[in-house]
Amino acid sequence: MHRILVVDDDPHIRDVLCFALEKAGMAAEWAGNGVDALDLATRNPPSLVVLDVGMPEMDGLEVCRRLRRASDVPILFLSARDEEIDRVLGLEMGGDDYVTKPFSPRELVARVNVILRRARGAPVVATPQEDAPPLIRGALTLDSAGHRATVAGRELGLTAREFMMVKTLASRPAVVFSRNQLMDAAYPDNIHVSDRTIDSHVRNIRAKFQAAGCEDAVETVHGVGFRLGACTAATPP
C-alpha cells in the first residue's frame, strides 16, 4: 500500500485530502508544518509527499529543498497562488507536479496515481553488479553495487538521480555531456523536465562535493554542457 504524507497547515484541507487518498486505497498521514514533515519523511519515508507551498515558519519550497538533499521521493506541490513563477520554481526545485487551490480532491488523487505509476514503472536505481569494480576518478570512488559515492573516504550522500548523473560523467571523464544526455541518465522513465531542473541537480551535486572537501567535481563547458573535473580532495586541517 502506498503511503502518502500530506503537509498543510490548514486542518480542513488535511482532512479532505487524507479522506480522499484513503478512499482511493492509500495510507495517508499528515504534518501541519515543515519541521514535522521533515521529521516524518526522514523516520519513515513515504511513497509521495503532497506539500503546501505557503506554510508559515518553513514554507513548502524550503521543505522540498531539504528533502532533495537526500531523497528523490515524488513531491506534489499545493499552492493558493497561480502565478507562473511559482509553478516553475516548484517544479525546478524538484517537484513532480503542481496543483493550485481550490482543487478537486478527485483530480489530486488522479495526479498522485499518475506520479506513483510513473515512479513504479521505471525506478531510478543502478543495476547491481556484484563483480564490477568500483569506479575511481581522482579522489572520487563510485560503488555501483552498494550505490555509494565517496570522496577520499567521505560519504557524499547522493540521491539516486544524482548518483546516476555522477556515474554518467565519471564513466567518460573526458567527454562533455549535454543537459539532454544527463537528463536521460537521471530520468530514464522519460519524465519531461526542464534544463533548469538539471542545473538544480548539478548545483546540489557540487554542494555535496564541496562539503566533502572537493571543489572541482563538475566543470561547466558553456554552451555545451558538463564534464567531470579532476575530483581532488582538500587535505583535512
Side-chain angles (χ1 to χ4, degrees):
M1 180 181 293
H2 291 297
R3 287 192 313 100
I4 312 300
L5 175 59
V6 176
V7 187
D8 199 299
D9 61 323
D10 186 327
H12 174 69
I13 290 178
R14 293 199 305 263
D15 289 345
V16 168
L17 287 180
C18 289
F19 177 80
L21 291 165
E22 289 171 352
K23 186 177 179 182
M26 306 176 208
E29 60 182 345
W30 60 267
N33 59 69
V35 174
D36 289 346
L38 289 171
D39 181 57
L40 284 171
T42 300
R43 287 192 289 107
N44 194 12
S47 306
L48 181 145
V49 179
V50 178
L51 182 58
D52 181 34
V53 173
M55 294 183 294
E57 297 183 17
M58 183 187 297
D59 65 21
L61 297 179
E62 179 61 23
V63 174
C64 175
R65 184 179 295 110
R66 297 191 186 192
L67 281 174
R68 282 291 173 259
R69 292 174 184 171
S71 172
D72 287 319
V73 61
I75 295 174
L76 173 65
F77 280 109
L78 294 177
S79 177
R81 298 175 294 179
D82 194 26
E83 289 86 350
E84 183 70 16
I85 186 63
D86 293 330
R87 185 179 300 110
V88 171
L89 179 59
L91 295 179
E92 288 176 356
M93 285 184 59
D96 294 86
D97 203 350
Y98 195 105
V99 175
T100 55
K101 301 176 183 179
F103 56 86
S104 161
R106 181 178 297 178
E107 177 193 359
L108 186 137
V109 169
R111 293 195 183 212
V112 166
N113 276 318
V114 168
I115 297 171
L116 291 173
R117 282 198 302 270
R118 194 165 60 195
R120 185 173 63 247
V124 185
V125 295
T127 302
Q129 302 177 28
E130 294 182 2
D131 298 329
L135 186 61
I136 299 174
R137 298 287 185 264
L140 169 67
T141 299
L142 291 173
D143 175 10
S144 294
H147 211 269
R148 296 179 65 245
T150 59
V151 169
R154 294 185 285 273
E155 188 83 33
L156 291 176
L158 300 178
T159 68
R161 297 196 193 279
E162 292 167 356
F163 186 92
M164 295 305 294
M165 290 176 63
V166 173
K167 183 178 178 181
T168 298
L169 294 171
S171 65
R172 302 173 68 187
V175 173
V176 178
F177 288 87
S178 68
R179 285 174 172 81
N180 284 337
Q181 289 172 316
L182 290 180
M183 193 181 303
D184 290 341
Y187 293 87
D189 37 7
N190 295 319
I191 299 175
H192 174 72
V193 296
S194 71
D195 288 350
R196 292 185 180 180
T197 301
I198 296 300
D199 291 343
S200 177
H201 282 307
V202 170
R203 283 195 299 271
N204 289 339
I205 289 169
R206 282 175 171 155
K208 291 178 180 182
F209 271 91
Q210 289 167 359
C214 178
E215 299 285 342
D216 56 359
V218 181
E219 297 178 353
T220 299
V221 180
H222 295 289
V224 184
F226 305 95
R227 68 179 166 216
L228 193 73
C231 291
T232 56
T235 303

